[in-house]
Amino acid sequence: MNSATTTSSTAPASGHQRSSTDRRGILFIISAPSGTGKTTLCKQLAANLPGLWHSISYTTRKPRPGEEQGRDYYFVEEQTFQEMVARNDFVEWAHVYGHLYGTPWKSLTEKIDQGIDVLLEIDVQGAMQIKKRFEDSVSIFILPPSMTVLKSRLQIRASDTPEEIQRRLHKVKEEVWSYREYAYIVRNEDLALSLRDLESIFWSERLKTKRLNMTWLESNFILDDEQKTGDHKDLP
Ligand code: ADP
Ligand code: 5GP
């Protein structure tokens, strides 16, 4: 089922100006302790960067004020979620803060096949599962400047009870050690600077030599006209 680790595709991506460097979509994974600002940053990234799609997870948690079905999450009952698990509908799923969260296979592989980059905003357990399945994925860990700032962000967000905030803060001490598993670390102090850092990572990853479309290279610089139309088994 892991079709995302194979070679380049030339299918057009909707809403994104494709260039001669057409390639498969890249899977970006972002994790952070709750309250760090990852949802805020991921929404802005998806709005700013062409060719980037923010994956929508399924969850059994109830919507927060302002959250919308199908935009922020697919909010489902536990039975529906378990049926999806049984059908193998999820690339990965996890228990997080007492609720179930899962990343659906279908939309993710469709986007990657179309050459659209995918942004996954998931917890550390989910990130580790994805990294094993998609070896070419790019993992980014975002940290708050300090525990004091994190606590105040959770309080200002005012979406969780004081007990829930305590639970999330307590978990940070475990989560923070996962930084070693991620390829990049971004410290979210100033929102605009963090966004700039994240955008730099995305653009650089897109330009990596290993992502170069060999068909484009061959047809422009290696094959002569006869070889383009015929057999070119002798190429290096
Ligand atoms: P997460 O998705 O990591 O749980 P959110 O994106 O919901 O976090 O952000 C938590 C709160 O912190 C929100 O109220 C958000 O507006 C605020 N926030 C995010 N980044 C910053 C920042 N760099 N400076 C100040 N406040 C921030
Ligand atoms: P929240 O309830 O604050 O939206 O999210 C709680 C945590 O669940 C966050 O760390 C978020 O990244 C994580 N999460 C959201 N969707 C998924 C998912 O599909 N899989 C996993 N493993 N974690 C998720």
Side-chain angles (χ1 to χ4, degrees):
M1 186 84 191
N2 182 359
S3 60
T5 50
T6 54
T7 50
S8 60
S9 135
T10 50
S14 57
H16 174 41
Q17 186 77 39
R18 303 302 305 278
S19 70
S20 51
T21 53
D22 281 358
R23 51 163 176 78
R24 291 178 65 82
I26 308 168
L27 190 52
F28 290 96
I29 311 166
I30 293 199
S31 307
S34 180
T36 298
K38 73 182 167 311
T39 305
T40 310
L41 285 163
C42 287
K43 280 190 175 152
Q44 291 203 21
L45 267 178
N48 291 1
L49 286 180
L52 179 67
W53 179 74
H54 191 178
S55 172
I56 304 161
S57 295
Y58 283 74
T59 183
T60 58
R61 126 161 128 59
K62 298 285 171 248
R64 295 182 181 132
E67 284 185 330
E68 271 178 36
Q69 175 73 289
R71 188 195 64 187
D72 299 283
Y73 281 104
Y74 295 108
F75 297 98
V76 293
E77 295 300 324
E78 178 148 358
Q79 192 188 336
T80 308
F81 194 98
Q82 295 295 2
E83 285 164 5
M84 293 183 74
V85 171
R87 281 201 304 267
N88 213 8
D89 285 350
F90 295 123
V91 192
E92 64 72 39
W93 63 275
H95 278 272
V96 193
Y97 310 121
H99 303 289
L100 295 166
Y101 293 82
T103 308
W105 267 114
K106 193 168 177 287
S107 43
L108 182 144
T109 47
E110 275 172 7
K111 299 290 175 194
I112 287 175
D113 287 345
Q114 289 166 13
I116 299 171
D117 297 335
V118 173
L119 175 57
L120 289 185
E121 190 191 326
I122 58 177
D123 86 321
V124 171
Q125 314 163 62
M128 295 308 109
Q129 292 183 55
I130 295 280
K131 263 182 66 178
K132 273 193 215 130
R133 291 195 160 172
F134 295 81
E135 286 171 1
D136 218 15
S137 57
V138 179
S139 58
I140 306 166
F141 199 51
I142 310 181
L143 281 170
S146 67
M147 285 296 282
T148 314
V149 170
L150 183 65
K151 188 173 179 187
S152 100
R153 283 188 190 163
L154 282 166
Q155 286 167 338
I156 291 167
R157 186 170 71 181
S159 60
D160 302 293
T161 61
E163 296 75 42
E164 182 58 38
I165 289 180
Q166 269 320 112
R167 186 142 75 121
R168 287 176 185 234
L169 286 172
H170 188 72
K171 195 151 182 241
V172 177
K173 308 246 177 206
E174 292 164 33
E175 284 174 326
V176 85
W177 292 107
S178 309
Y179 78 88
R180 289 176 280 217
E181 305 289 342
Y182 289 77
Y184 296 94
I185 306 282
V186 170
R187 199 169 74 174
N188 180 25
E189 189 149 19
D190 177 279
L191 201 62
L193 292 181
S194 307
L195 200 58
R196 184 206 61 188
D197 288 348
L198 286 167
E199 287 183 3
S200 313
I201 296 170
F202 281 66
W203 285 117
S204 310
E205 284 291 335
R206 287 172 169 181
L207 297 174
K208 278 202 163 154
T209 309
K210 67 177 180 186
R211 306 199 197 278
L212 179 67
N213 180 340
M214 289 307 291
T215 310
W216 167 78
L217 191 85
E218 283 173 7
S219 76
N220 282 282
F221 306 108
I222 300 173
L223 297 178
D224 55 32
D225 287 344
E226 291 97 67
Q227 282 176 306
K228 277 181 201 171
T229 50
D231 186 27
H232 52 272
K233 276 194 212 112
D234 296 339
L235 274 172

